[in-house]
Amino acid sequence: MATPLEKWVEEQARLTRPARIHWCDGSDEEARRIVEIGCREEKVNGQPVFQELNPDAFPYSYLHRSHPTDVARTEHLTFVCHPDREEVGPNNNWLSPEAARSRMRVLTDGCMAGRTMYVMPYLMGHPDSPYARACVQLTDISYVAVSMRIMTRMGRPALERIGGSDDFVKGLHSVGDFNPERRFIMHFPEEHFVWSVGSGYGGNALLGKKCFSLRIASWLARSENWLAEHMIIIGIEDPRGRITYVAAALPSACGKTNLAMLESTLPGYRIWTLGDDIAWLHVGPDGRLYALNPEAGFFGVAPGTSLRTNPNMVKTLQAGRFYPTLFTNTGLDVSRNAPWWEGLDETPNPRLDWQGRPWKEGAGPAAHPNARFTVSAQNCPTLSPEYDNPAGVPISAIILGGRRTSVAPLVLQSRDWLEGVCLGSIMGSETTAAAIHQVGQLRRDPMAMLPFCGYNLGDYLGHWLRMGESLKEPPAIFFVNWFRKDGGGDFLWPGFRENIRVMKWIIERTAGGQGNGAAETPIGLVPERSAVNLDGLDLAPGAWKELTAVDRNEWRAEITTGREFLAQFGDRLPTRVREGLDRLDRNLG
Ligand code: SAT
Ligand code: MN
């Protein structure tokens, strides 16, 4: 008797008609065989899927050049398909499940002809964790098959968890013909199913990542009383050896990976990495909030990564422990056969751009601004020993943030959970190259979840408020902004490794240091100068004042535009958020 899993795979194969079906075991050996196929047989846009890089510079590493139109998430082609449009909310593109199905059936009919269908059973979360979920993704390209091995726990434990049941998250993926006109990422939350065609790019194609662990998981989390968030998880060790765990949400390409692996410039402080993109947060038996990272690897932005900005990421990329590491759409330093990107801080050598064309000075960036690496967490020298803890780690602070050239202070602490949720609901960030849209536009991105919350964002804010009530003592909520600039357009704060100074203040605030070190503003607390260690920093005169300034007029305007953004959620916006914003507005005078 066929199991529900076998039946489902058969059904998908009848639709997509692959030449062969390969059931993945997630082994090292298998990954090597699939990479070999990507190097020798498969092509994207006329070029091999993988090209081996110099193992002396980057062991086990391969360069992948994507189809030129397939370089970032495509939010306008991403849909949530549910019978009730209101449930999905204006924050998502909507289609009825029937309409989506018929559109996708046409696009996937025979789409795997002549190709291999990879069947990938995987877990999001540790096999011993009660919070882990079993999933199966199908794909027809080596790049995605190998990426999923890096990013998830693939193989036997997932099959064991599924057994003869129908209880697994389903993902059908095909790169189709890479035509953006025939590219869609469809989510069916009621069926725990994601159907994606036409793109091989991370968030569009690695369906365990944003599609399941955020969009579908947010539906599960709402009904099961937990949170699926776009957050890093780190432990901050102080000189006494005490570790405080925090979770931080920042939009894509705003420095999450750098913060997750930060190498401290303050003696005695150290960061332990648990996750760089996604956190699942549950109420523990003691009433505290516990976080775990469902992923097994990092899919990070390459440009700007260097020994100066993120030495631990460079070490991770060069560790050569887990096979393989992938570089996507970086440039290539031909003389060393090594990946190259802007900000690598190495002398430019003759190189090719991200499409493999000769690159010339002044011809624009060699690496695509959203060039990425895909690397196992096992390679990370700062990986926390708690990373595999099936229960997760207790969270003392939640950090929310964005990329703001003005208005938002370096760091601000909300006075309570409600105020934090209210400010989080209108938080803004300037857009980046991580999604296809105009870069540098300010957009409201509540909790950095605008592109990832799978249901009505008004309801989502209500869920946050309920979560606060489920916790014995909700974590303190902070806001950070590393990107404020002065009148001349220069960054006021050095950022990167120096951000440890802000993190130190944050953990001191959570450890009973409530009485001192902070000054009241109408919207929350900012650090006093004396409370932050600025030794050895070369801040411009007046910079600290500007960094911590909360301008009443700017913030009144901020709340006004925030309210305008929230108006689209109508009655779904919790009254308490509406009233909380009114109160903040009144505080501003
Ligand atoms: O492409 S991903 O969604 O995985 C990365 C990101 O944009 O956060
Ligand atoms: Mn992300």
Side-chain angles (χ1 to χ4, degrees):
M1 264 278 284
T3 63
L5 169 59
E6 287 161 347
K7 275 197 218 140
W8 179 72
V9 171
E10 242 169 65
E11 242 171 68
Q12 311 313 306
R14 265 201 301 280
L15 172 68
T16 57
R17 295 196 294 280
R20 52 203 100 68
I21 299 181
H22 174 88
W23 285 71
C24 294
D25 62 15
S27 66
D28 194 79
E29 229 190 342
E30 175 182 80
R32 286 172 197 271
R33 278 201 311 273
I34 300 177
V35 167
E36 188 65 20
I37 291 169
C39 287
R40 308 213 180 283
E41 294 168 30
E42 265 184 343
K43 295 213 160 42
V44 167
N45 206 33
Q47 301 192 47
V49 170
F50 293 122
Q51 175 178 334
E52 192 174 358
L53 294 164
N54 180 352
D56 295 329
F58 290 92
Y60 291 166
S61 291
Y62 297 84
L63 174 65
H64 169 71
R65 294 196 184 106
S66 78
H67 192 277
T69 67
D70 190 29
V71 293
R73 275 183 294 104
T74 43
E75 293 175 5
H76 57 297
L77 305 175
T78 302
F79 288 74
V80 178
C81 313
H82 186 276
D84 184 350
R85 186 175 193 158
E86 280 283 301
E87 283 293 301
V88 162
N91 45 303
N92 285 295
N93 298 311
W94 174 84
L95 269 179
S96 75
E98 297 73 42
R101 261 174 204 292
S102 42
R103 187 184 297 188
M104 293 303 272
R105 248 189 236 112
V106 174
L107 294 176
T108 36
D109 188 7
C111 66
M112 294 191 187
R115 311 180 68 96
T116 301
M117 173 194 272
Y118 296 98
V119 181
M120 304 179 289
Y122 65 96
L123 288 175
M124 295 312 288
H126 190 272
D128 295 338
S129 175
Y131 306 127
R133 300 278 169 156
C135 315
V136 179
Q137 177 173 337
L138 313 177
T139 189
D140 57 0
I141 187 158
S142 53
Y143 172 71
V144 167
V146 174
S147 300
M148 287 296 285
R149 162 173 150 83
I150 302 169
M151 297 303 297
T152 73
R153 292 164 171 94
M154 191 189 284
R156 177 142 302 281
L159 280 181
E160 279 167 4
R161 207 177 255 241
I162 297 167
S165 83
D166 188 30
D167 184 15
F168 59 97
V169 178
K170 303 167 179 75
L172 171 56
H173 171 255
S174 166
V175 290
D177 58 3
F178 291 101
N179 186 334
E181 306 277 310
R182 289 191 284 277
R183 179 178 298 161
F184 290 102
I185 301 98
M186 303 278 190
H187 302 71
F188 300 82
E190 292 203 313
E191 292 141 75
H192 302 176
F193 176 43
V194 185
W195 197 345
S196 164
V197 67
S199 167
Y201 174 77
N204 293 341
L206 314 182
L207 305 183
K209 200 170 179 44
K210 300 302 171 38
C211 299
F212 169 55
S213 290
L214 291 178
R215 293 198 194 94
I216 303 261
S218 60
W219 285 82
L220 300 172
R222 175 173 62 161
S223 62
E224 298 167 2
N225 203 41
W226 54 284
L227 289 166
E229 295 296 323
H230 192 207
M231 289 179 177
I232 71 165
I233 311 167
I234 53 177
I236 307 166
E237 186 174 331
D238 70 14
R240 284 182 299 162
R242 202 181 43 189
I243 301 178
T244 308
Y245 294 97
V246 310
L250 293 145
S252 303
C254 289
K256 277 197 303 300
T257 306
N258 291 334
L259 185 57
M261 264 172 225
L262 183 151
E263 188 163 294
S264 168
T265 52
L266 291 182
Y269 286 84
R270 129 178 229 190
I271 297 282
W272 293 100
T273 310
L274 289 104
D276 83 327
D277 196 37
I278 297 176
W280 286 354
L281 303 153
H282 290 85
V283 184
D286 58 0
R288 295 187 69 185
L289 189 63
Y290 282 77
L292 66 87
N293 170 16
E295 299 194 280
F298 310 119
F299 179 64
V301 179
T305 306
S306 71
L307 281 172
R308 185 177 51 84
T309 59
N310 190 347
N312 287 320
M313 185 40 99
V314 175
K315 284 182 203 154
T316 303
L317 295 172
Q318 296 182 328
R321 253 190 302 284
F322 186 94
Y323 182 91
T325 293
L326 306 180
F327 292 88
T328 302
N329 292 339
T330 63
L332 185 70
D333 175 339
V334 182
S335 57
R336 293 171 62 222
N337 189 32
W340 193 92
W341 53 79
E342 278 63 29
L344 185 62
D345 288 349
E346 279 180 20
T347 340
N349 273 305
R351 54 184 182 262
L352 301 180
D353 75 2
W354 61 278
Q355 293 185 73
R357 301 172 304 197
W359 181 86
K360 281 190 230 61
E361 201 76 49
H368 187 277
N370 195 37
R372 296 264 171 170
F373 45 74
T374 317
V375 64
S376 168
Q378 292 177 37
N379 277 16
C380 174
T382 57
L383 192 68
S384 162
E386 295 296 302
Y387 166 73
D388 274 340
N389 187 332
V393 291
I395 293 296
S396 299
I398 285 180
I399 300 172
L400 305 173
R403 183 185 286 269
R404 293 297 297 269
T405 341
S406 58
V407 183
L410 176 65
V411 57
L412 176 107
Q413 180 180 6
S414 280
R415 280 168 290 233
D416 58 30
W417 183 265
L418 174 62
E419 270 194 26
V421 173
C422 289
L423 272 189
S425 77
I426 58 162
M427 79 190 216
S429 192
E430 286 144 29
T431 50
T432 69
I436 306 263
H437 44 207
Q438 208 182 338
V439 171
Q441 300 289 93
L442 182 66
R443 78 165 175 179
R444 300 288 141 194
D445 190 351
M447 284 55 171
M449 279 289 278
L450 182 70
F452 306 122
C453 177
Y455 63 93
N456 193 309
L457 221 133
D459 295 339
Y460 166 81
L461 295 171
H463 182 52
W464 262 76
L465 293 181
R466 274 194 307 279
M467 284 300 293
E469 283 155 10
S470 314
L471 294 163
K472 217 180 198 164
E473 204 187 317
I477 298 181
F478 294 82
F479 291 83
V480 298
N481 174 29
W482 318 133
F483 302 94
R484 198 154 172 168
K485 289 185 175 171
D486 64 16
D490 288 321
F491 286 111
L492 285 160
W493 179 250
F496 298 109
R497 298 175 55 196
E498 304 299 357
N499 292 336
I500 189 67
R501 298 165 191 266
V502 174
M503 304 310 280
K504 175 174 177 288
W505 183 75
I506 288 176
I507 60 170
E508 284 165 1
R509 296 289 303 163
T510 63
Q514 304 284 341
N516 46 44
E520 283 272 353
T521 81
I523 53 164
L525 305 151
V526 294
E528 275 161 3
R529 192 189 171 112
S530 58
V532 178
N533 180 343
L534 301 174
D535 295 351
L537 275 194
D538 190 18
L539 289 191
W544 181 255
K545 205 155 166 246
E546 236 179 299
L547 276 165
T548 50
V550 171
D551 181 280
R552 284 174 187 263
N553 289 330
E554 282 176 355
W555 273 93
R556 264 200 308 266
E558 190 71 12
I559 291 189
T560 303
T561 31
R563 279 209 199 96
E564 282 161 18
F565 162 79
L566 292 175
Q568 63 184 306
F569 303 104
D571 291 349
R572 298 274 182 151
L573 184 70
T575 313
R576 279 190 291 160
V577 171
R578 211 187 305 267
E579 291 172 353
L581 285 169
D582 290 347
R583 256 194 315 276
L584 286 172
D585 199 18
R586 278 199 303 275
N587 292 349
L588 286 158

